[in-house]
Amino acid sequence: MKSLIQRMPKAELHLHIEGTLEPELMFEFASRNRVALTYKSPEEVRKAYEFSDLQSFLDIYYEGTRVMIRDRDFHDLARAYLNKAHEQNVRHAEVFFDPQAHTERGVPMQAIIEGLHHAFREGEREFGISSALILCFLRHLSAAAAMQTLEAALPYREYFSGVGLDSSERGHPPEKFTAVFARARQEGLFVVAHAGEEGPPDYVWQALDALQASRIDHGVRCMEDPALVARLRSERVPLTVCPLSNVKLRVFDRIEDHNLKQLLDAGLCVTINSDDPAYFGGYINENFLAIHNAFGFTKDELHTLAGNSFEAAFLPEERKRLILQELDQL
Ligand code: ADE
Ligand code: ZN
């Protein structure tokens, strides 16, 4: 099955580019930008990656972003991810970035967006990986700050395709961001949102109704609300599930306790993703392998999961059809 997982064409729909910062690259950026790190070596950094919940991870994740300062850093970060994605047969990536984690430190919006954009264009040219950038608002910051961030990004509108909502979920309901998401939709941006990772099912309802999200990131807590499951199923709202992340952040104690099988059995459009692979111990194939080992998924089930990732992607129908045809031939 490992070889099938490798060979399946896949779309990655839940990946934070800042979460692909491997410790070695963190040291390289820190050195060239003269940023002091509290750790002495990449090994020491890796040892610190033990998390008790989402917030304990975010504290370290934002600390890591301090080494990213110039457009070249964003470019090189994305290039490193693209090499990995190509190795793992990812054909399409819809990638989150957190501008506020950088603009708050004085990094210009232009450096962030242009650095990422150029790398993803190279990925398209060199590897044939199509991509879309998704600008995420940090939900622990204010709605006004989110609106300012969108306005600051709009001069680069052609370089990103969607907006999302991430960071500390508990106590920060999606409704707080209704106005900025309405503004984003006016600009023709697609809408996704993290909800139901640590937060209650009500946050998933809010993401659907107040923000009009067309996809839910994580969403695993939907299972606590049968009416919500029925809605997600009937509207075929995709969930971008991140199994290794959910275990690392203690949403589930062990991979065997993950509710992925229940989500699939409920008829939901589930996709498999890596979230913050440099922090959670694996990229997309390692996530597929972990769930295969835990649940003994059959070839058909693995195909369904890979197929769902293209169904859920914002891609032209013709490209979806060609890739799905390739998947069917495996
Ligand atoms: N930012 C990066 N990874 C995240 C996650 N899993 N949940 C919320 N915000 C995030
Ligand atoms: Zn995430």
Side-chain angles (χ1 to χ4, degrees):
M1 283 299 175
K2 195 168 173 184
S3 125
L4 174 70
I5 289 168
Q6 166 63 33
R7 282 180 291 123
M8 288 192 307
K10 293 163 291 280
E12 174 127 75
L13 307 177
H14 186 152
L15 175 99
H16 302 262
I17 199 65
E18 294 89 348
T20 68
L21 180 69
E22 293 288 348
E24 289 74 15
L25 208 52
M26 184 188 293
F27 272 77
E28 194 179 317
F29 292 178
S31 153
R32 76 190 189 193
N33 291 328
R34 300 180 199 288
V35 175
L37 290 175
T38 45
Y39 303 101
K40 290 197 188 61
S41 66
E43 293 69 37
E44 209 179 295
V45 173
R46 277 206 175 83
K47 284 208 189 98
Y49 291 172
E50 288 296 331
F51 312 114
S52 52
D53 58 8
L54 175 58
Q55 192 59 51
S56 67
F57 155 68
L58 289 171
D59 293 343
I60 290 186
Y61 166 90
Y62 292 127
E63 183 68 18
T65 62
R66 289 190 309 112
V67 302
M68 302 166 202
I69 293 181
R70 292 176 298 160
D71 54 357
R72 176 180 166 207
D73 305 324
F74 294 94
H75 171 271
D76 294 356
L77 178 68
R79 282 298 312 227
Y81 165 68
L82 282 160
N83 289 338
K84 196 77 191 177
H86 177 57
E87 242 174 69
Q88 298 206 341
N89 208 11
V90 169
R91 300 296 181 81
H92 177 70
E94 294 178 7
V95 175
F96 300 131
F97 66 109
D98 286 334
Q100 288 161 292
H102 314 296
T103 53
E104 281 210 320
R105 297 180 287 110
V107 176
M109 184 67 83
Q110 178 178 13
I112 306 166
I113 300 189
E114 290 189 350
L116 294 174
H117 170 74
H118 288 129
F120 282 103
R121 287 294 68 76
E122 289 163 15
E124 188 134 27
R125 272 202 310 275
E126 291 171 32
F127 300 138
I129 299 177
S130 51
S131 56
L133 283 171
I134 305 175
L135 182 156
C136 282
F137 304 111
L138 300 184
R139 68 202 302 160
H140 68 276
L141 301 179
S142 70
M147 191 65 92
Q148 280 162 13
T149 301
L150 178 61
E151 296 297 345
L154 283 177
Y156 313 98
R157 168 67 188 84
E158 67 194 294
Y159 295 156
F160 62 105
S161 313
V163 289
L165 185 66
D166 65 1
S167 196
S168 325
E169 189 180 8
R170 287 202 197 108
H172 301 288
E175 265 172 12
K176 178 171 143 187
F177 299 96
T178 302
V180 69
F181 277 80
R183 174 90 181 85
R185 289 198 314 276
Q186 267 176 9
E187 291 292 333
L189 290 156
F190 69 71
V191 169
V192 298
H194 282 55
E197 177 187 16
E198 277 190 349
D202 181 46
Y203 284 15
V204 180
W205 286 105
Q206 290 184 26
L208 296 172
D209 292 330
L211 308 187
Q212 298 182 33
S214 42
R215 203 161 68 202
I216 298 294
D217 299 311
H218 294 294
V220 293
R221 287 195 58 194
C222 72
M223 286 309 282
E224 296 165 31
D225 181 345
L228 177 58
V229 172
R231 162 106 182 254
L232 295 169
R233 178 176 47 235
S234 72
E235 294 182 9
R236 209 148 169 80
V237 178
L239 301 184
T240 63
V241 175
C242 307
L244 290 175
S245 162
N246 291 154
V247 175
K248 272 293 208 180
L249 302 189
R250 315 276 281 272
V251 175
F252 300 97
D253 289 337
R254 304 172 313 153
I255 194 84
E256 292 79 9
D257 302 322
H258 199 287
N259 67 359
L260 185 72
K261 197 119 177 115
Q262 288 96 299
L263 295 167
L264 279 170
D265 290 345
L268 301 182
C269 181
V270 176
T271 68
I272 300 297
N273 307 270
S274 65
D275 206 3
D276 301 285
Y279 293 87
F280 300 152
Y283 288 75
I284 196 166
N285 284 356
E286 287 79 24
N287 274 272
F288 267 97
L289 200 57
I291 53 142
H292 169 67
N293 289 337
F295 302 114
F297 280 132
T298 61
K299 178 179 171 186
D300 274 359
E301 287 168 316
L302 294 172
H303 270 218
T304 299
L305 288 164
N308 286 351
S309 72
F310 292 99
E311 178 190 336
F314 294 99
L315 263 179
E317 289 307 317
E318 180 58 11
R319 179 161 165 77
K320 286 190 190 186
R321 197 184 59 77
L322 287 173
I323 300 178
L324 289 174
Q325 212 170 46
E326 207 183 311
L327 180 63
D328 279 346
Q329 281 158 8
L330 289 180

